[in-house]
Amino acid sequence: MECIFCKIARKEIPTDLIYEDERVVAFNDINPQAPVHVLIIPKNHLTSLLDITQSNADIISHIFLVAKKLAEDMKLNEKGFRIVNNCGKEGGQTVGHLHFHLLGGRSMTWPPG
Ligand code: AMP
Ligand code: ZN
């Protein structure tokens, strides 16, 4: 399979892995947009949030609990942080494997670009 994040999840591409369990991996973004910029992905391939249904929606709560744990581990919980999902072309999604960005360590602006 050619999906780059599937390859990262299978450890076929070296990456800056910071967390792993049976369902997800988290690693540092190769092009960080903030002092902390971590990507959290399901190990199973899902193209985007549009692949989420009632039957697999539990992966989303799991990813958010992992994001919360990582935010606490990296001491982002006091000052705050942002979780982002880009979905589809106009949403800014460039990698076709569901992923959530955990961003922190600086003040975020709004609206996003
Ligand atoms: P998105 O634009 O929401 O699809 O986010 C894709 C993210 O994946 C971007 O922030 C990229 O910098 C990041 N990225 C792409 N390839 C890699 C890689 N090999 N290792 C880590 N991050 C990557
Ligand atoms: Zn994939």
Side-chain angles (χ1 to χ4, degrees), residues 4-5 8 13-16 27-33 37 39 84-88 91-97 99-101:
I4 188 171
F5 283 3
I8 285 175
I13 294 177
T15 191
D16 206 357
F27 50 95
N28 284 318
D29 196 293
I30 205 168
N31 182 23
Q33 302 301 312
H37 188 170
L39 299 175
V84 171
N85 172 252
N86 297 325
C87 185
Q93 183 176 4
T94 60
V95 175
H97 181 126
H99 55 279
F100 288 81
H101 301 253

Side-chain angles (χ1 to χ4, degrees), residues 18-19 26-28 35-40 62-84 100-106 108:
I18 61 166
Y19 175 86
F27 50 95
N28 284 318
V36 173
H37 188 170
V38 173
L39 299 175
I40 306 164
H62 184 65
I63 286 170
F64 270 71
L65 284 171
V66 168
K68 187 189 99 165
K69 174 196 155 32
L70 295 178
E72 288 170 346
D73 289 350
M74 292 183 285
K75 313 282 184 221
L76 297 176
N77 48 317
E78 277 185 21
K79 287 190 170 177
F81 55 91
R82 182 173 290 178
I83 295 170
V84 171
F100 288 81
H101 301 253
L102 170 63
L103 297 149
R106 67 168 170 82
M108 299 295 155

Side-chain angles (χ1 to χ4, degrees), residues 22-49:
E22 64 284 353
R23 289 191 279 171
V24 304
V25 295
F27 50 95
N28 284 318
D29 196 293
I30 205 168
N31 182 23
Q33 302 301 312
V36 173
H37 188 170
V38 173
L39 299 175
I40 306 164
I41 70 169
K43 286 184 171 177
N44 289 336
H45 182 86
L46 296 165
T47 300
S48 78
L49 199 61

